[in-house]
Amino acid sequence: MAGLRSGSGATGSRQTGLPAAVTLLTLLFTCCARCSAQSAKPSNIILILADDHDVHLGGMTPMKKTKALIGDAGATFVNAYTVTPLCCPSRSSILTGQYPHNHEVRNNSLSGNCSSIQWQKGPESTAFPIYLNKQKYQTFFAGKYLNQYGKKDEGEIGHVPPGWDQWHALVGNSQYYNYTLSVNGKEEKHEDSYEKDYFTDLITNRSLHFLDDRSPQHPFFLMLSPPAPHSPWMAAPQYQKKFSDIKAPRDGSFDKPGKNKHWLLRQPVNPMPNNSLTFLDNAYRKRWQTLLSVDDMVELLVKKLDSIKELDNTYIIYTSDNGYHTGQFSLPIDKRQLYEFDIRVPLMVRGPGIKPNQTLQAPVLNIDLAPTILDISGVNLTTVNVDGQSFLSQMAPTLRNGTARPFFLVEYTGEGHETTDPACPKLGPGLSQCFPDCVCEDAYNNTYACVRTLNKEQNLQYCEFADSESFVEVYNLASDPHQLDNIVKSVDPAVLQAMNQRLIKLQSCQGDSCRDVK
């Protein structure tokens, strides 16, 4: 500035130099603004992925801190869905942004492609953390990854998926104590000390250390995957007496017979025996107890982000891999079914550009998480092979333009055993997840695909089973929100035909075609 004044004040140059100086100043300010915008650090992102956390049956009730710190501070999606109601295929969809028929993880077994060599060489090698890493994000994972992760002959503990700078992954399925971790490819065994080993708290503590040790020059992405509220439902000591008077809700489809439903829903004893009711009430209460440590996790993360002055530049996403049931249609406890209680999940997001206290109605899927995260990070989504779409435009319309989808797919491939289950010999082979009173939650032919229409005009679900009956279930959720009445025999045949055609298209869709079904 001093130099400019000196130059403009030279003899004989005042009248001609001033406009030149103004022009130069304008160019400098414009350049500085552009350079500042270009060099501004992209937003940080934290994804908290609970395990089996329902929303349909009151599962968010214990999460008071989470609702206040994420939901009330941002957007709550009341129609968030998983595209498949089981852990491993759902988590694979979250990582890839793809429907199961494209990433080919069908269920929780190795034969179902869960964390298999085929998965590692294929979809995992193009999952969204790789793109974040290329965007110079510092990436951190802690918690349950995929159900078969770390198992023998499938890469074992030494396999660290590409894209992760820090890796603290559980070997196998959810546990709270007595588990093994892969810590950056090295085995780390844990026992049963609450202070040292309680898994939800360990995930929290290591994420806080990561935030302390990160490089402030680059953005960060954390994916935290606590075991709660998955079985074996072991709450922290301070929470083991909470909710002592809580029972599973008795409304809606609770202990209703599975009339006009797929055969698996027609076989449970109805009404349920007292021992089953006691069992599921205990399960329901213990699930809530385990969630209190996740609620603490959210609070501690928000406090840490605030203390390091990153809270206003961080998107925090809370969701689950699938829903859950406790007594619906007389099924004791599990997921895997096509109904709202199993496919609807919690989804709350806070972050830059998201106004507080928003309740959003448009349907959002777990395959939308990857494109949304990549959208936030600045990745050009046209360069990424995903079936989902970013929902950034819905919660922050000032940042993006976009439209909600009119239809979506839910698909599931059932699991079974080739031999008869000892707990249920009368039903023969091909079943799994059986209880002593001969109620089985899954079977090979519990394989289905559904198309869902959810907009202002319609709220319909149309499902076809791959079984010897070619069974079809159709529900009008506008008039029958608990899916008690299968209307396949009374609905307009033209509606059935239209839904069938959409289902056919969605079952073979890929990329853009998954978003453009009419």
Side-chain angles (χ1 to χ4, degrees), residues 32 106 138 218 244 431 435-436:
C32 288
R106 295 176 291 280
Q138 302 163 85
H218 297 291
S244 58
L431 296 102
F435 289 83

Side-chain angles (χ1 to χ4, degrees), residues 148-305:
Q148 300 294 332
Y149 171 76
K151 297 297 183 67
K152 188 177 180 181
D153 301 327
E154 301 298 331
E156 300 188 356
I157 289 171
H159 172 67
V160 177
W164 297 105
D165 297 321
Q166 290 289 322
W167 180 251
H168 304 257
L170 179 69
V171 174
N173 204 0
S174 282
Q175 294 291 330
Y176 298 82
Y177 295 105
N178 299 303
Y179 54 86
T180 300
L181 294 181
S182 169
V183 178
N184 300 320
K186 303 295 183 182
E187 181 180 80
E188 182 179 285
K189 288 189 174 292
H190 286 263
E191 297 179 347
D192 57 2
S193 165
Y194 171 68
E195 291 76 13
K196 296 178 181 178
D197 304 311
Y198 190 67
F199 194 32
T200 302
D201 290 357
L202 181 143
I203 293 167
T204 302
N205 293 334
R206 294 197 178 181
S207 68
L208 299 178
H209 286 310
F210 174 82
L211 291 173
D212 281 333
D213 296 341
R214 83 203 188 285
S215 168
Q217 282 73 41
H218 297 291
F220 55 80
F221 171 76
L222 282 70
M223 183 170 177
L224 310 180
S225 186
H230 195 287
S231 62
W233 311 308
M234 300 183 75
Q238 66 270 30
Y239 296 136
Q240 289 177 2
K241 294 183 179 180
K242 295 287 187 179
F243 311 121
S244 58
D245 58 343
I246 291 295
K247 292 184 177 181
R250 262 49 174 181
D251 56 355
S253 57
F254 182 85
D255 204 14
K256 293 289 195 299
K259 183 180 178 182
N260 297 324
K261 288 179 167 52
H262 184 236
W263 78 271
L264 199 61
L265 274 292
R266 301 196 297 264
Q267 49 92 28
V269 176
N270 180 267
M272 300 178 76
N274 287 334
N275 63 324
S276 292
L277 294 173
T278 300
F279 174 77
L280 65 87
D281 280 337
N282 286 334
Y284 190 89
R285 181 171 58 257
K286 289 178 179 179
R287 283 166 54 80
W288 276 23
Q289 291 170 352
T290 66
L291 283 167
L292 293 176
S293 293
V294 183
D295 210 30
D296 291 342
M297 171 191 289
V298 171
E299 180 184 40
L300 289 167
L301 279 167
V302 169
K303 286 182 177 178
K304 173 61 73 175
L305 291 170

Side-chain angles (χ1 to χ4, degrees), residues 208-503:
L208 299 178
H209 286 310
F210 174 82
L211 291 173
D212 281 333
D213 296 341
R214 83 203 188 285
S215 168
Q217 282 73 41
H218 297 291
F220 55 80
F221 171 76
L222 282 70
M223 183 170 177
L224 310 180
S225 186
H230 195 287
S231 62
W233 311 308
M234 300 183 75
Q238 66 270 30
Y239 296 136
Q240 289 177 2
K241 294 183 179 180
K242 295 287 187 179
F243 311 121
S244 58
D245 58 343
I246 291 295
K247 292 184 177 181
R250 262 49 174 181
D251 56 355
S253 57
F254 182 85
D255 204 14
K256 293 289 195 299
K259 183 180 178 182
N260 297 324
K261 288 179 167 52
H262 184 236
W263 78 271
L264 199 61
L265 274 292
R266 301 196 297 264
Q267 49 92 28
V269 176
N270 180 267
M272 300 178 76
N274 287 334
N275 63 324
S276 292
L277 294 173
T278 300
F279 174 77
L280 65 87
D281 280 337
N282 286 334
Y284 190 89
R285 181 171 58 257
K286 289 178 179 179
R287 283 166 54 80
W288 276 23
Q289 291 170 352
T290 66
L291 283 167
L292 293 176
S293 293
V294 183
D295 210 30
D296 291 342
M297 171 191 289
V298 171
E299 180 184 40
L300 289 167
L301 279 167
V302 169
K303 286 182 177 178
K304 173 61 73 175
L305 291 170
D306 191 37
S307 71
I308 62 176
K309 300 186 178 353
E310 291 285 4
L311 182 59
D312 292 339
N313 192 38
T314 301
Y315 289 89
I316 308 176
I317 305 168
Y318 184 90
T319 190
S320 175
D321 50 4
N322 47 258
Y324 206 70
H325 59 255
T326 50
Q328 282 60 49
F329 297 118
S330 301
L331 294 172
I333 54 160
D334 201 44
K335 48 269 186 177
R336 307 168 197 260
Q337 308 305 328
L338 57 87
Y339 308 103
E340 289 285 281
F341 42 76
D342 283 1
I343 64 174
R344 273 186 64 194
V345 295
L347 178 60
M348 297 177 293
V349 190
R350 67 172 289 170
I354 303 176
K355 292 181 179 179
N357 294 305
Q358 293 186 73
T359 300
L360 302 178
Q361 302 287 337
V364 170
L365 308 179
N366 64 342
I367 58 172
D368 298 337
L369 288 167
T372 302
I373 289 167
L374 294 180
D375 193 9
I376 291 169
S377 76
V379 171
N380 182 350
L381 295 181
T382 63
T383 66
V384 184
N385 180 24
V386 292
D387 302 330
Q389 62 188 44
S390 172
F391 55 82
L392 184 58
S393 62
Q394 294 185 40
M395 56 188 180
T398 59
L399 301 181
R400 293 285 188 279
N401 295 320
T403 57
R405 59 169 55 78
F407 312 105
F408 61 90
L409 174 70
V410 176
E411 54 188 348
Y412 179 68
T413 302
E415 288 184 86
H417 301 298
E418 294 182 3
T419 57
T420 298
D421 193 308
C424 204
K426 68 179 183 180
L427 290 179
L431 296 102
S432 65
Q433 313 300 316
C434 295
F435 289 83
D437 52 0
C438 204
V439 179
C440 297
E441 296 271 3
D442 207 1
Y444 284 136
N445 65 1
N446 184 40
T447 297
Y448 56 82
C450 306
V451 61
R452 183 65 182 277
T453 303
L454 181 54
N455 52 46
K456 292 180 180 179
E457 288 75 37
Q458 290 183 318
N459 190 350
L460 298 175
Q461 184 181 31
Y462 172 94
C463 303
E464 295 181 358
F465 282 84
D467 62 7
S468 59
E469 296 180 291
S470 298
F471 202 79
V472 176
E473 295 187 30
V474 183
Y475 299 98
N476 181 351
L477 283 94
S479 58
D480 179 23
H482 300 295
Q483 296 161 291
L484 301 175
D485 185 18
N486 179 6
I487 60 173
V488 63
K489 294 181 180 179
S490 59
V491 72
D492 185 341
V495 172
L496 291 181
Q497 184 177 11
M499 297 292 274
N500 168 264
Q501 291 303 306
R502 289 178 190 133
L503 182 59

